Amino acid sequence: MMNRNDLNVWFSDVMFNSKESPVLMNSQDLDDITVIIPSYNRQEFILRQFAYWSTSSATVIVLDGSLKPISEQCIEILSAFPRLNYLHAPISFPERLRLASQLISTDYTIMLGDDEFHLFEGLYSALSSLRKENKNNANIVGCIGQSLRFNFDIEMNSINIGEGYPHTNLKVLGNKIEDRLNFAMNNYTPATSYGLLTSLCWQETWGAVESWSCPYAIELQQAFKTYICGKFISVNEVYWMRSLELDPVNIKNDTDRNLSFRDWWTKKKYKNEKNRFIQLLAEYVVKKEGSSMKVARLKINKAVQIYILSSTPSNLRLFLSYLKSKILNFIPVKFNRGSNHDPYHFCSMQEYIVRINIQPTPKNKIFISELTKLQELIREFYRRY
């Protein structure tokens, strides 16, 4: 890990160089997007985010919940970049998001993990798709791009890449709230959390989440409210680079990551939280469609049951998972591509680029250029880290 002096020097160098760098293709069109990045005790990665976003025209708001802020030197460096905003806010996660929602001035907003990245060209594609669809009053409030997982192999000095969430052809287009909720919760795939949303939708969803004992309840509250708010689509371009570099953050007296949503929902201990969860979502349904509270509560309960039933592994799926783990035990170690998290589904950046560049296209060239520049940034970061 860098000491503070080394960190300041690295950040000063990279931000100075960013002023001399050309803006990436189409990134000038991101000036209608605000990127919200909550963080806690990962200040090196906060600075890495600022280094990355310094070459785009998006507005970035980092909300740092750490006890102490980043150095005065780094804050001074950031003062030369008016679009890059750092707020030291040692308050809870939901409180930081509520604070962020008050600072948004663009038409579109997106969430980002402090160790992850959104690729500019893919993000621009999602923005363009939202604008195009809503010219006809389509009531589409969000769009997700495709995602990739990545880790950094220090020994190989390379990013390793694996498949992300299955967002291909994802569309939630029901005209009725109930239809959208039931469709989205059946074999639920996380999409809305890091989807590009209209700012009003972001403020009413992420900007209004509550603190729950179960972290997955926070995610689902945001997802439910997004699908209550309106329709949701996807684009084929990759924009979400999901990092596996760090373990999840655990904050004392915060949510319990070992508590599943199913247990939280069914255990008497959390009955009051569950009732409040239903009440808040039902009130939002009433606000959006004018139904009675009784009908709205029934809709929320039904969608939650669909989520629980479809996310509970069947005996067959449990057996296939067990069989897969046994088979993988016999695969030679040489197939390990360098990731400790899921080595059998990862490949090096070089291999990945060769694979996607079999039929070169202008879009592929831009995509490869962004991945290459991202790898260069991460390499330099770890060289100093």
Side-chain angles (χ1 to χ4, degrees):
M1 182 177 292
M2 298 182 199
N3 63 43
R4 178 156 285 209
N5 287 335
D6 287 343
L7 183 62
N8 291 345
V9 170
W10 172 79
F11 188 60
S12 178
D13 289 345
V14 73
M15 295 302 279
F16 175 80
N17 290 334
S18 73
K19 289 183 178 180
E20 310 300 321
S21 301
V23 175
L24 292 182
M25 294 183 188
N26 280 332
S27 63
Q28 68 271 16
D29 295 304
L30 301 184
D31 58 4
D32 205 17
I33 293 177
T34 296
V35 183
I36 305 293
I37 307 175
S39 184
Y40 180 81
N41 280 356
R42 292 179 174 177
Q43 294 183 335
E44 297 92 341
F45 289 84
I46 288 176
L47 299 185
R48 189 174 78 169
Q49 285 290 350
F50 284 134
Y52 176 74
W53 288 99
S54 64
T55 58
S56 99
S57 61
T59 297
V60 177
I61 302 175
V62 170
L63 298 109
D64 184 6
S66 309
L67 291 179
K68 295 182 179 180
I70 60 175
S71 71
E72 289 293 333
Q73 181 179 340
C74 291
I75 291 174
E76 185 178 348
I77 292 169
L78 285 171
S79 66
F81 297 82
R83 294 173 295 94
L84 306 181
N85 304 279
Y86 172 80
L87 280 77
H88 179 235
I91 51 181
S92 71
F93 177 70
E95 288 173 324
R96 277 179 277 152
L97 296 187
R98 285 196 288 274
L99 174 60
S101 72
Q102 299 169 19
L103 303 173
I104 296 168
S105 60
T106 58
D107 288 339
Y108 299 90
T109 303
I110 193 167
M111 175 85 93
L112 179 60
D114 56 10
D115 58 340
E116 303 187 330
F117 299 95
H118 288 325
L119 300 178
F120 300 157
E121 188 69 17
L123 196 53
Y124 171 69
S125 177
L127 175 63
S128 299
S129 184
L130 275 174
R131 284 172 168 167
K132 179 181 177 182
E133 294 291 338
N134 284 328
K135 278 184 178 179
N136 301 317
N137 297 316
N139 189 32
I140 295 175
V141 297
C143 180
I144 185 75
Q146 305 309 307
S147 66
L148 294 172
R149 296 176 297 166
F150 79 91
N151 204 345
F152 187 74
D153 188 324
I154 295 177
E155 291 183 4
M156 299 299 294
N157 196 31
S158 171
I159 288 178
N160 293 321
I161 291 180
E163 293 182 2
Y165 286 119
H167 293 144
T168 305
N169 298 322
L170 174 66
K171 293 180 181 179
V172 183
L173 298 176
N175 288 318
K176 296 180 179 179
I177 288 175
E178 182 178 16
D179 293 340
R180 293 197 297 271
L181 286 176
N182 294 346
F183 180 83
M185 292 303 123
N186 188 22
N187 296 315
Y188 169 80
T189 296
T192 64
S193 300
Y194 294 94
L196 180 65
L197 306 178
T198 64
S199 289
L200 177 60
C201 179
W202 199 98
Q203 289 164 324
E204 293 186 349
T205 59
W206 272 129
V209 292
E210 298 272 323
S211 294
W212 309 106
S213 299
C214 171
Y216 312 105
I218 296 175
E219 176 189 328
L220 282 174
Q221 181 189 2
Q222 192 275 339
F224 266 70
K225 292 193 78 173
T226 302
Y227 294 121
I228 293 169
C229 191
K231 302 173 185 178
F232 196 87
I233 58 175
S234 63
V235 292
N236 292 329
E237 290 77 12
V238 173
Y239 75 60
W240 183 14
M241 298 296 293
R242 297 183 54 228
S243 173
L244 298 178
E245 299 165 278
L246 302 172
D247 292 327
V249 170
N250 286 307
I251 304 174
K252 189 177 180 181
N253 300 323
D254 201 11
T255 56
D256 180 3
R257 290 188 174 276
N258 295 317
L259 177 61
S260 71
F261 183 84
R262 180 188 179 89
D263 287 344
W264 179 77
W265 189 260
T266 56
K267 288 186 176 180
K268 290 184 179 179
K269 179 180 178 180
Y270 307 106
K271 180 179 178 181
N272 290 339
E273 285 192 30
K274 169 188 168 181
N275 289 339
R276 177 158 176 75
F277 183 89
I278 296 171
Q279 180 71 15
L280 289 171
L281 292 177
E283 287 174 355
Y284 196 55
V285 170
V286 172
K287 175 183 175 181
K288 291 297 183 181
E289 72 173 10
S291 59
S292 69
M293 277 297 294
K294 180 180 179 180
V295 170
R297 289 172 69 89
L298 288 172
K299 290 178 180 180
I300 298 303
N301 269 299
K302 180 179 179 181
V304 169
Q305 292 305 318
I306 290 172
Y307 167 80
I308 290 174
L309 288 172
S310 66
S311 62
T312 301
S314 65
N315 290 334
L316 176 60
R317 278 190 285 171
L318 285 172
F319 172 74
L320 291 175
S321 177
Y322 169 79
L323 183 63
K324 177 183 176 182
S325 68
K326 288 298 183 182
I327 292 172
L328 290 178
N329 284 337
F330 292 97
I331 296 179
V333 177
K334 67 180 180 180
F335 284 97
N336 189 320
R337 298 298 187 187
S339 166
N340 293 326
H341 295 266
D342 194 4
Y344 308 104
H345 293 82
F346 276 73
C347 65
S348 69
M349 171 78 83
Q350 184 177 0
E351 290 177 79
Y352 181 76
I353 288 175
V354 168
R355 191 168 72 214
I356 65 172
N357 206 33
I358 293 175
Q359 295 180 328
T361 65
K363 282 191 174 182
N364 269 357
K365 288 181 180 179
I366 295 172
F367 180 46
I368 290 169
S369 174
E370 284 203 72
L371 286 179
T372 302
K373 289 181 179 180
L374 178 59
Q375 179 167 253
E376 289 171 0
L377 173 66
I378 295 175
R379 277 176 173 169
E380 182 60 21
F381 175 78
Y382 278 106
R383 191 176 73 82
R384 305 284 193 97
Y385 187 58

